[in-house]
Amino acid sequence: AEEQGTSFSDTKDNMIEFSKYKEKCKYKDCMHIKEENCYIKHLVEEDIIKKSRYNNYKKFIDEVKNQKTYWFF
């Protein structure tokens, strides 16, 4: 059986808290980690998105980076 990976987009899109704000980010493909002027990071700083959820998101992204197989869509 072929091992199926998770894409960065899958991880980002599965964060319900992010979905209603993602269009407000400066970059269309913003990953909400290192980008300047990221609206999601701003919302975390303002406590509108819980820091614990954002930290979980960053852990999920790290896990995707460490997978053997990547799927980019």
Side-chain angles (χ1 to χ4, degrees):
E2 187 175 312
E3 187 177 331
Q4 204 169 29
T6 302
S7 74
F8 294 120
S9 293
D10 289 340
T11 302
K12 184 172 61 170
D13 292 343
N14 285 327
M15 298 302 288
I16 296 166
E17 297 94 326
F18 294 10
S19 61
K20 62 182 169 182
Y21 302 111
K22 67 183 179 182
E23 299 299 322
K24 294 189 178 197
C25 280
K26 182 176 179 180
Y27 307 102
K28 183 178 179 183
D29 60 348
C30 188
M31 288 301 298
H32 320 304
I33 296 179
K34 295 180 181 178
E35 301 86 354
E36 291 185 28
N37 300 318
C38 172
Y39 195 68
I40 299 299
K41 292 189 324 185
H42 167 75
L43 295 174
V44 172
E45 291 170 11
E46 295 293 318
D47 262 346
I48 295 167
I49 292 177
K50 291 182 180 181
K51 190 166 186 110
S52 61
R53 287 292 290 158
Y54 180 70
N55 288 337
N56 283 340
Y57 166 73
K58 292 194 308 185
K59 287 179 189 175
F60 293 142
I61 292 295
D62 284 342
E63 288 177 15
V64 171
K65 285 181 185 176
N66 292 324
Q67 286 179 0
K68 293 180 181 177
T69 307
Y70 296 98
W71 299 95
F72 297 98
F73 298 100

